[in-house]
Amino acid sequence: MKRFAAIAAMAASAFALSTGASFADYTLHILHINDWHSRIESNNKYESTCSAEEEAKDECIGGAGRLVTAIAQERKKLEGENVLLLNGGDNFQGSLFYTTYKGQAEAEFLNQMKFDAMTVGNHEFDDGEDALAPFLDVIKFPVLSANVQASAAAKVGDRIKPSVVIEVGGQKIGIIGAVTTETPEIASPGPNITIEDDIKTITAEVEKLKAEGVNKIVALTHVGYPRDKEMIAKIPGVDVVVGGHTHSLLSNTDPRAEGPYPTMIDNPDGYKVPVTQAASYSKYLGEFKVVFDDNGVVKEASGDPIYLDAKIKPDEGVLARIKELGAPIEELKAKEVGETTAAIDGSRESCRARECEMGNLISDAVLDRVKGQGVTIAITNGGGVRASIDGGTVTMGEVLTVLPFQNTIATFQISGKDLVAALENGVSQLEEGAGRFAQVAGLKYSFDKSAPPQSRIKSVEVEENGSWAPIDPDKDYIVAANNYVRQGGDGYKIFAEKAKNAYDYGPGLEQTVADYLSAHRPYTPKIEGRITEVAQAGQAEAPATEEAKPAETAPAATTEPEVKLPEMPKASGDIANQAPKVEGEAGAPATATEAAPETNAGEARPAEAAADASAPKPGESHVIATGDTFWDIAEKAYGDGSQWRRIARANPRHSARRLLVGTTLKIPAAN
């Protein structure tokens, strides 16, 4: 109990003073980053890769070059002081450097920065162990997570430690790692790695360190700012929390901040715990000072993150190495990812005013990627569509031109009533050609442009069990969008305020679309009546005949990242890099012919062969085949895909996002 230890210390201190000795406070400076997401190159204001022109105008932020410079500057400034450099995880995923080098480029620059410790993030498991194990082979500092348990068969071996004790200035500092317990659902740790309860495992590690005489303990977590505040900082014995996962900007000066830096939380043992996080993408270097008394009780904590903008000059040696590593990436942009039977219209005039071909492609691709999670609706903002694609061969460079903002798939639950309100936002600025216009999949809507804003939506239907039904205002629907829209971009404030169980850091849109084109080769563009403009009298008009509205300047664009290319490493377990299997493809397993809710709106599936003897049966086991999802398996076993959660609950070691081919599932009996 730190509070009682502090009281005892005061008595001991009084005695010590009488004998000429005295206790001294201990000051520790902590530098930290989190959620770097492979931002090896610098970011522009849209959080995508900064161009040479933008760099020349001093408009770029972050990147490996600025991190190396800033860390070196702070270390020099604090020379002779007690300093730790910590990493809050999610160094993987977010740029073509990760796609190309699968963690090796990130490891090289992280080693150059000389971190004292890092925790693994969920994205470190996106490629299973196939990228993480080689990363651990070359990384030169401790990698931690108390709640990661690797079996004897795991490639990572015992290289992810629960904690580490580092001596700084003659004092022992215990650092305990932890990763979000959602990792099996949002990444692909594989069958040999188990993610255990974070509170239980951190608590056990705290007790172990205290028994070893360590009284200054840092929880280095990748669980998110809310959980850090509500749970981690309240674990008795934890003194400091350095976090990640939610990309939270904490600041004492920035009005956009989610909270103060550091955020002081009351621990049940009667002391306050500083909680920090430093946004994401190397835009900030966190820096704060903690003063401990002789018993390891935090007396004070102060600091503010350092914004890594143009005032921080990138290290020239790092820039030269980035250029060298970037040469093959230019080649990868020319990589062929698919083929179309005709040009795909992604023009501004179409996608911000009516159903457009590119909007349908993107929405279908998103819905196809996350349908195994029970998602039935996808929404794409027309302003996120930046180009068309010519007919014929499609390259990754063309896909990146259409989707340049490095957005990620976000999933969330929202009521039918709030979803209709979101669609009203989408059609509220038609006259201005605003980018908020909603392209959709799994949903149909009609609107009357002549009506006042916020009263233009006339009908909304959702696809349920293969047929269309009016939206239920009181029902919660599972929806996918891009992270920019989910976080309130393009006027979708209602998603930011009303979404439940939101997760914004899924696969990158560009890779999702590239994979979809590859799986549907050749792809045929389509307009299907998902969006209908009606006249005031209720008569449908042909949207294609409407004269295009004048266009505004490009909207203030999207945020989040995750750029990937379609080629996977051998045996990759990364859902973000795995091309979705399409029912009816050559080599795909037979499936039920009845249309399921996750089927793209209006898209007819090819006829399937009858289910064979290997089809899943209630009460028996099922060996996962290529293309299986929990929904498909439930559809075959019970005749109802919505029963997929029964199978998921019976198989907690299997990720709904990435079923491993060849492994076995238990199929619960039918009631």
Side-chain angles (χ1 to χ4, degrees):
M1 299 291 183
K2 295 234 174 192
R3 176 173 54 188
F4 303 119
I7 294 171
M10 291 173 64
S13 178
F15 175 78
L17 284 171
S18 69
T19 61
S22 63
F23 290 109
D25 291 339
Y26 173 81
T27 299
L28 178 66
H29 299 268
I30 298 179
L31 308 175
H32 62 102
I33 67 168
N34 56 275
D35 298 279
W36 186 27
H37 282 297
S38 189
R39 279 315 205 275
I40 289 172
E41 295 178 292
S42 56
N43 309 278
N44 62 19
K45 63 182 180 181
Y46 303 120
E47 296 184 338
S48 70
T49 302
C50 210
S51 67
E53 292 78 13
E54 289 168 319
E55 194 75 68
K57 295 177 182 177
D58 290 337
E59 295 176 349
C60 299
I61 310 148
R66 284 189 175 84
L67 275 177
V68 168
T69 295
I71 289 168
Q73 287 179 350
E74 294 311 303
R75 279 183 168 139
K76 184 175 181 179
K77 184 191 304 181
L78 296 168
E79 192 170 356
E81 301 284 336
N82 305 313
V83 180
L84 278 179
L85 176 62
L86 303 178
N87 185 309
D90 269 9
N91 300 287
F92 287 10
Q93 297 288 22
S95 80
L96 298 178
F97 283 87
Y98 177 76
T99 302
T100 306
Y101 297 107
K102 292 298 175 186
Q104 295 301 295
E106 290 78 8
E108 178 179 334
F109 293 115
L110 292 172
N111 282 336
Q112 187 172 345
M113 297 172 208
K114 295 183 172 61
F115 282 87
D116 291 297
M118 70 166 271
T119 185
V120 288
N122 52 283
H123 280 288
E124 266 75 73
F125 294 100
D126 277 352
D127 275 300
E129 298 183 70
D130 292 330
L132 181 54
F135 175 85
L136 296 173
D137 287 341
V138 298
I139 211 71
K140 296 179 180 178
F141 47 82
V143 177
L144 311 174
S145 188
N147 63 331
V148 169
Q149 297 297 316
S151 73
K155 296 177 184 178
V156 301
D158 62 353
R159 289 174 293 177
I160 300 176
K161 305 291 186 182
S163 67
V164 66
V165 177
I166 300 175
E167 188 168 312
V168 184
Q171 296 285 316
K172 292 180 179 180
I173 310 298
I175 305 170
I176 304 171
V179 68
T180 174
T181 55
E182 296 177 341
T183 297
E185 298 302 318
I186 59 180
S188 302
N192 298 318
I193 291 179
T194 303
I195 309 299
E196 299 188 351
D197 181 76
D198 51 350
I199 307 302
K200 180 180 178 181
T201 53
I202 292 173
T203 301
E205 203 63 20
V206 167
E207 293 304 313
K208 173 189 166 187
L209 293 180
K210 287 167 62 179
E212 296 173 1
V214 179
N215 67 358
K216 300 173 185 66
I217 296 176
V218 177
L220 180 59
T221 68
H222 193 86
V223 303
Y225 181 53
R227 189 163 182 82
D228 279 337
K229 292 188 298 179
E230 296 161 11
M231 302 297 294
I232 307 298
K234 296 180 181 179
I235 296 174
V238 167
D239 298 297
V240 176
V241 179
V242 177
H245 186 50
T246 47
H247 300 214
S248 299
L249 171 62
L250 305 182
S251 171
N252 303 313
T253 57
D254 194 322
R256 300 170 300 167
E258 293 182 37
Y261 181 99
T263 301
M264 303 303 289
I265 301 297
D266 289 323
N267 186 283
D269 265 6
Y271 61 96
K272 289 188 179 292
V273 175
V275 174
T276 64
Q277 197 170 142
S280 58
Y281 309 148
S282 66
K283 294 177 295 187
Y284 293 87
L285 174 64
E287 180 182 20
F288 68 109
K289 177 180 73 174
V290 185
V291 179
F292 298 88
D293 69 15
D294 197 60
N295 291 283
V297 178
V298 174
K299 295 178 65 176
E300 61 179 274
S302 60
D304 223 21
I306 302 167
Y307 189 47
L308 304 188
D309 60 3
K311 70 178 181 291
I312 307 293
K313 299 303 178 186
D315 181 272
E316 291 296 333
V318 172
L319 292 181
R321 181 59 174 151
I322 291 173
K323 184 175 181 181
E324 182 181 1
L325 290 169
I329 293 174
E330 294 305 313
E331 298 176 14
L332 286 172
K333 288 181 181 178
K335 184 175 180 64
E336 182 178 323
V337 298
E339 180 183 359
T340 68
T341 59
I344 308 173
D345 177 21
S347 67
R348 179 187 184 94
E349 293 79 12
S350 296
C351 295
R352 298 183 181 213
R354 61 185 70 89
E355 177 184 354
C356 74
E357 293 168 345
M358 193 68 75
N360 285 351
L361 166 62
I362 296 168
S363 301
D364 285 349
V366 167
L367 188 55
D368 189 81
R369 179 56 61 94
V370 295
K371 63 184 180 183
Q373 300 175 51
V375 177
T376 59
I377 294 167
I379 293 179
T380 299
N381 59 318
V385 181
R386 310 303 288 187
S388 300
I389 291 178
D390 293 338
T393 299
V394 180
T395 66
M396 191 64 195
E398 288 179 288
V399 176
L400 288 166
T401 301
V402 174
L403 297 165
F405 299 121
Q406 299 179 329
N407 289 127
T408 52
I409 295 177
T411 56
F412 55 98
Q413 290 175 272
I414 198 160
S415 71
K417 176 184 177 182
D418 291 333
L419 191 52
V420 173
L423 295 175
E424 286 283 9
N425 170 69
V427 296
S428 65
Q429 295 184 10
L430 283 162
E431 295 81 3
E432 293 86 4
R436 62 187 61 196
F437 189 85
Q439 303 290 330
V440 296
L443 179 147
K444 291 180 178 180
Y445 70 92
S446 65
F447 68 93
D448 179 0
K449 185 175 64 179
S450 66
Q454 308 309 321
S455 61
R456 291 177 169 177
I457 296 295
K458 298 306 174 187
S459 67
V460 181
E461 296 177 278
V462 294
E463 191 175 20
E464 295 182 346
N465 298 318
S467 60
W468 294 97
I471 194 167
D472 183 344
D474 299 320
K475 178 179 177 179
D476 277 356
Y477 295 88
I478 307 179
V479 179
N482 63 60
N483 62 290
Y484 171 70
V485 164
R486 211 294 302 164
Q487 293 169 2
D490 265 343
Y492 285 92
K493 185 178 180 182
I494 196 162
F495 287 164
E497 295 177 345
K498 298 295 184 69
K500 291 172 280 189
N501 300 319
Y503 185 74
D504 297 331
Y505 313 116
L509 288 191
E510 53 277 88
Q511 184 60 43
T512 297
V513 171
D515 288 346
Y516 190 81
L517 286 170
S518 178
H520 292 76
R521 183 174 187 149
Y523 176 80
T524 299
K526 56 194 174 219
I527 296 292
E528 300 179 317
R530 303 180 189 188
I531 304 170
T532 305
E533 181 179 349
V534 296
Q536 196 167 18
Q539 298 297 318
E541 295 179 355
T545 63
E546 181 189 22
E547 185 177 354
K549 301 295 179 207
E552 274 190 310
T553 54
T558 37
T559 50
E560 290 269 26
E562 284 209 309
V563 184
K564 303 170 214 149
L565 289 172
E567 187 167 7
M568 294 188 295
K570 185 177 180 181
S572 170
D574 177 19
I575 185 172
N577 280 340
Q578 183 187 20
K581 299 296 185 274
V582 183
E583 299 171 350
E585 285 185 302
T591 59
T593 57
E594 182 182 358
E598 72 270 25
T599 304
N600 295 327
E603 180 183 358
R605 298 284 189 179
E608 301 288 326
D612 57 26
S614 65
K617 298 178 179 62
E620 299 182 6
S621 62
H622 171 69
V623 177
I624 298 169
T626 302
D628 275 352
T629 67
F630 278 146
W631 185 285
D632 296 330
I633 294 169
E635 183 74 22
K636 297 173 189 177
Y638 308 119
D640 181 3
S642 67
Q643 297 295 313
W644 69 272
R645 288 184 179 82
R646 295 180 58 197
I647 302 174
R649 284 193 294 268
N651 298 272
R653 292 177 60 87
H654 291 266
S655 168
R657 294 180 60 133
R658 175 68 170 92
L659 298 180
L660 297 177
V661 174
T663 57
T664 301
L665 294 174
K666 298 176 184 177
I667 309 300
N671 296 327

